[in-house]
Amino acid sequence: MADHSVAAPPFFADGGPALHAWMRSARDNTPVMFDEPSQSWKVYRYEDVHRVLSDWEVFSNDMCRVIPQHAFTRGNLSTMDPPEHKQLRGVIAQGFTPRTLAELAPRIETLTKELLDAVEDRDEIDITRDLAYQLPLNVISTLIGVPREDRGVLQRTADAQLALTCENPANPDFAVQVQKAMEELQDYVRDLSARRRAEPRDDLVSRLVTATVGDRSLDEEEVVNFTVLLLLAGHLTTMSLIGNMMVTLSEHPDQLAQVRADRALVPGAVEEVLRYRTPVPEGGRVTNREVELGGVVIPPNKMVLCSLISANRDERKYTDPDRFDIHRDPNPQLAFTTGIHYCLGAHLARLEAKIALNTVLDRYTELTPTGLDWYPTYALCNPKRLTFDVRRA
């Protein structure tokens, strides 16, 4: 049995095995426990995690009560509760409809091919650098309305986010680091939103600056913060999904061969990657009142951190959860959380991953792994370097 008075080993230490073993023990022995360093309650079983993520009346998304106020919060959909949450989500959801994504798919396919064309002369490619990082950056920038020539500001902010290694989100120093990393991007979006107020276009920033929520328009700070959230979440989490997908399939060559032979298996493969190697480790909430969870009483106004990694490996929910199986059905994975805060960009992330995988398999007849390093961050589970020797079709 793991010693749960000792912090969980970080995912990046070995790509998951040590952490998975620690969490297996936690699910059995301390499924809901107080974590002293982060001053939060951590939750590890699927059923409890699902309850926290679903019950917004008891478990609030308003993190302002426990995270220092200088962390950006106003206009941040991920820190809102109803009714404001529903109103703002309704505004932006128009940019993520099935019709909009269907129209975007050919552009994603073109971007993917262009990125691989750029490394056509190489016998070894780095999937993270050459594809997984670049594709979602360009896709979300296109949706938001960031011109190609301005995308370096998002890249610099994303790099700063990936460099943050603090494991305690309530740490004031961490909040300062986060804010510093975002300042340049916030300044850029502030200028972009002013331009779109003057001349609206067919993009998400224009939709935000011209929208009404309830009986009012969004102010500048709300527009800026929400746009920053969309840019970063739309880039980094999808980057992680694509990278994790290529790592995991390369570790299971028999299933990679099945996918290569039958592309109808691609959607199931993407879902299983989301379960097996979840991109975002945790989802946070705050208790509105005293509540019993997993046999433990949690006081009001306390941070609750749900382990999405652990929930997606819970033996109580999944048969043989440590086995990667692209045929797993049903697969109610929680990588995108659940309930009213279900990830707004989930369908877009899936679409990008499917197109990326199909395009890679179309282009390369062989992918031989040659190198793998992980980002040393607690915010994402994501390969930093993922190299393959390739043979072209």
Side-chain angles (χ1 to χ4, degrees), residues 339-361:
I340 66 169
H341 296 292
Y342 184 77
C343 177
L344 191 62
H347 297 306
L348 176 60
R350 287 186 174 101
L351 177 64
E352 291 181 59
K354 292 171 190 175
I355 290 173
L357 180 55
N358 274 310
T359 306
V360 166
L361 295 180

Side-chain angles (χ1 to χ4, degrees), residues 2-4 6-14 16-23 167 309 378:
D3 180 2
H4 297 120
V6 177
F11 173 89
F12 53 81
D14 60 2
L19 177 62
H20 295 149
W22 188 97
M23 288 180 169
E167 62 180 314
I309 296 176
Y378 289 87

